Amino acid sequence: MRALFLIIPILFLISCSDSILDNNTTESSSTTAYEEWLVSKTKVIDGGPGKDGIPALLNPHFINASEANYLNFEELVIGIKIGDEVKAYPHSILNWHEIVNDDINSTNFALSYCPLTGTAFSWSRSIQNQTTTFGVSGLLYNSNLILYDRRTNSNWSQMRQQSINGELINLTPNNFTVVEIMWGVWKNMFPETKVLSTNTGFDKDYNDYPYGDFRTSTNILFPVCSTNNFYHPKKRVHAVVLNNTAKVYSSDSFISDGYLIDTFQDKSILVVGNSTFINSFILTNSANSLEFEYIYNNSEAILRDNENNQWNIFGEAISGPRLGQKLERTNSFMSYWFAIESFYPNPEIY
Amino acid sequence: MKYFMTIALLLIFNLVKSQTCCSGGVPLSSSIALDNTTNKKDLYIDLSYDYNNLNTLKSGTEKFDDRSRTRITNSILINISYAFIDEFSVEVLIPYINQKRIISTNQTTVDQSYGIGDLISLFKYNYKKKEYRVIVAGGIKFPTGSTNETNVNGIVLNPDLQPGSGTWDFIVLNSITKKINKNRNQFLTLRFIKNFNGTNKNLYNNRSYKFGSEKILSLSIRDQYVILKKQFTPKIDLKYRSVAKDISSNFEQPNTGGDWLFIATEGVVRVTNNLFFRGKFEAPIYSNLNGNQLTTTYRVITGIAYKFNTKKK
């Protein structure tokens, strides 16, 4: 009995020593340090989890819409369409991974979603003729995701859509249009859609939201450069960015008509949507003379024009004499209001 | 009693690599107010190493099969305690801290900081009567530790990766010890510690940060034997720890704070009349965390202590 008291603490120490050694032997430094940043380095924040602490998805699995029983009608997804293939990426999974490295018909892209700013982008993983994957750097600028590419370790600001540090500093990626939309609406528009599976290879509870009451509270969690109380910080708005200035539209702007035509930076902007989605286009050349009618009725077509063309949410003519044509996309995205103010102070508000 | 201690020790041993618990930062409260200086002019110097391994990912009470993230706190602690009179003593804890964050995926990334941590000074009143001893103590944690350490890229690390908190905190401690066997040096101790944390208002980017205040209630039992002609004091400790959410710029941080129940075993060997060696192992047996957190998997403390001016009893 007495010997037991002496032996057991020693055994504990021995049992722990292996783990201590294991951790030390795998230690390595983070990355090659590049001093130059396009943004103030003091505004770049360590978000807490660390580099790759939030694991980006590398080989995502997809299921058919009919199999996605884990999604409710109202849940928000990010939708993308490349060629004829459409895919949906639910917020509930993106909240935990933030980046999905994916491809459609040999077109590779990284789809990113920042849960703190509520912004989603998709850009090509082919950079300077070399394919890479993106990971979560663990850093934030203006409370927004900073991605890093695994080929050069360069850091990329999601909302600036630009490399802000590293070998590829100043480079801007080639973007693809994504839309934020309620799952039920998306499924009605594109019944053939694939949707990201919860079978990600990670043990996560995707029904759980990892940031408490963040979506509805006035809490921003991390410092931002500028704040403006015109809207609740978490009001979801659609921002169009032209010449580094922004104009925001909310679903309140066109709730009765389903679309509006506005002028911003001398461009004619068509904004279309409802409380479940918003997208926008630049009306150029002959499209500027079209007269639109909002016709969304649980199918792919959302607008019809006076030439009897029907247009979908990606601005593609899906029937009519302009079949196959596309409206010019805007540099636009859905976001929490506070994030627009912090990246583009004093934005115009429709 | 012997059977109870034996069973409890075996239970702990089985838990070594299977249980979890504890949030980030440096839990120094458990390292103060050692039962050391109880006689006038006792001077007690304790040098210890504290290894805190956080490698368990939990949400509430649910544990996830994800070992890719590890947080390690290595602390070297110097504890100096001096008794002016039998009833009154002063204790100072000086920590040197290495905070380490390791992410192991395709590559391993390590961010870490080193430095002097926050110094703690504690004033203890010690009341002894027959089979009871009561300690009432209060102290201050001084903001001596750095809060702006950076990673290799020069980015300031997260507050819970810093050696210091940047705050003045207040600590109160009460403990009562009762001798439970008239024929042996067997004691039962109930201890309560509470700290009141201040807010660091000088964090970078005009950000303020307050670590969640902590409450600890522990019940321990210790015995004493002579093994190989050395005095050996084994101890078993059941500890409840409750930590409030951290507050950043007036808002609660969602994935901080929670409740833990730890079990610990400790052994102290009296190597010479004045020299002591101790080892402690601590592991959680229950935890209920706010949101998703990496939590303590186990904690090991070893130390040596020297007691000056001791009176032979």
Side-chain angles (χ1 to χ4, degrees), chain B residues 75-86:
Chain B
S75 309
I76 295 169
L77 305 164
I78 300 171
N79 186 306
I80 303 168
S81 185
Y82 180 75
F84 294 98
I85 55 176
D86 284 357

Side-chain angles (χ1 to χ4, degrees), chain A residues 92-103:
Chain A
S92 55
I93 297 177
L94 294 172
N95 285 332
W96 293 94
H97 297 285
E98 301 193 1
I99 299 170
V100 182
N101 292 283
D102 198 6
D103 53 72

Side-chain angles (χ1 to χ4, degrees), chain A residues 34-269:
Chain A
Y34 283 82
E35 284 298 316
E36 189 185 358
W37 288 77
L38 284 188
V39 298
S40 169
K41 192 172 172 180
T42 59
K43 302 290 182 188
V44 177
I45 302 285
D46 175 4
K51 190 174 185 176
D52 287 325
I54 295 172
L57 296 181
L58 278 174
N59 297 298
H61 297 286
F62 291 85
I63 56 177
N64 294 323
S66 59
E67 299 169 302
N69 299 322
Y70 71 97
L71 286 172
N72 297 321
F73 186 96
E74 295 83 8
E75 288 195 42
L76 291 173
V77 300
I78 305 301
I80 190 168
K81 183 172 187 285
I82 295 178
D84 291 331
E85 193 165 336
V86 285
K87 284 184 173 179
Y89 305 80
H91 276 199
S92 55
I93 297 177
L94 294 172
N95 285 332
W96 293 94
H97 297 285
E98 301 193 1
I99 299 170
V100 182
N101 292 283
D102 198 6
D103 53 72
I104 293 177
N105 297 329
S106 303
T107 302
N108 63 54
F109 58 89
L111 186 141
S112 63
Y113 173 71
C114 177
L116 298 179
T117 51
T119 47
F121 292 87
S122 176
W123 59 55
S124 174
R125 292 192 284 114
S126 294
I127 297 168
Q128 294 181 329
N129 298 319
Q130 288 187 283
T131 302
T132 187
T133 59
F134 284 84
V136 179
S137 71
L139 303 175
L140 299 167
Y141 171 64
N142 263 337
S143 198
N144 174 244
L145 166 67
I146 294 179
L147 307 87
Y148 81 95
D149 72 81
R150 293 200 168 97
R151 186 174 66 82
T152 70
N153 266 319
S154 298
N155 289 306
W156 300 70
S157 166
Q158 189 215 33
M159 283 183 69
R160 282 180 66 120
Q161 304 163 69
Q162 186 178 33
S163 173
I164 56 172
N165 166 255
E167 188 181 321
L168 302 179
I169 192 166
N170 275 314
L171 209 64
T172 54
N174 295 321
N175 280 4
F176 300 102
T177 301
V178 292
V179 293
E180 180 185 272
I181 187 167
M182 275 187 189
W183 165 242
V185 177
W186 175 260
K187 194 168 61 167
N188 287 336
M189 285 181 177
F190 303 103
E192 73 282 13
T193 184
K194 300 285 186 184
V195 59
L196 188 60
S197 165
T198 54
N199 180 22
T200 59
F202 293 90
D203 186 12
K204 305 280 185 192
D205 180 1
Y206 294 113
N207 293 317
D208 189 18
Y209 175 69
Y211 299 97
D213 63 354
F214 180 79
R215 285 179 289 200
T216 53
S217 78
T218 55
N219 183 359
I220 295 177
L221 282 181
F222 294 96
V224 293
C225 291
S226 176
T227 56
N228 178 327
N229 294 326
F230 185 84
Y231 286 131
H232 185 285
K234 305 299 172 48
K235 182 175 178 63
R236 298 201 67 77
V237 295
H238 180 82
V240 176
V241 177
L242 284 171
N243 300 325
N244 209 33
T245 58
K247 187 162 189 175
V248 300
Y249 304 85
S250 74
S251 58
D252 312 337
S253 310
F254 45 78
I255 198 73
S256 56
D257 298 326
Y259 79 98
L260 61 88
I261 294 175
D262 186 28
T263 301
F264 175 50
Q265 297 284 313
D266 298 324
K267 305 272 188 189
S268 183
I269 308 292

Side-chain angles (χ1 to χ4, degrees), chain A residues 1-2 5 12-13 16 19 24 26-28 30-31 33 41-42 45-46 48-49 51 96 203 208 210 219, chain B residues 2 6 9 13 16 64-65 100-101 108 110-112 153 158 205 225 227 232 234 251 255 265 292 298 300:
Chain A
M1 174 66 191
R2 292 179 181 183
F5 278 119
F12 281 146
L13 296 178
C16 297
S19 302
N24 284 339
T26 57
E27 184 175 347
S28 66
S30 292
T31 59
K41 192 172 172 180
T42 59
I45 302 285
D46 175 4
K51 190 174 185 176
W96 293 94
D203 186 12
D208 189 18
N219 183 359
Chain B
K2 286 182 181 178
T6 305
L9 280 167
F13 196 60
V16 168
F64 296 104
D65 182 19
K100 195 180 284 188
R101 177 176 64 197
T108 297
V110 179
D111 288 308
Q112 59 184 327
N153 294 323
N158 209 44
N205 288 315
Y225 304 94
I227 300 172
F232 176 61
F251 289 105
N255 298 312
T265 181
N292 293 268
Y298 63 88
V300 180

Side-chain angles (χ1 to χ4, degrees), chain B residues 253-285:
Chain B
Q253 297 292 288
N255 298 312
T256 57
D259 298 289
W260 292 262
L261 188 64
F262 293 89
I263 195 158
T265 181
E266 182 175 358
V268 180
V269 179
R270 192 167 194 162
V271 182
T272 67
N273 195 39
N274 292 6
L275 184 67
F276 302 83
F277 170 80
R278 64 190 177 90
K280 181 178 181 180
F281 180 86
E282 183 177 276
I285 52 175

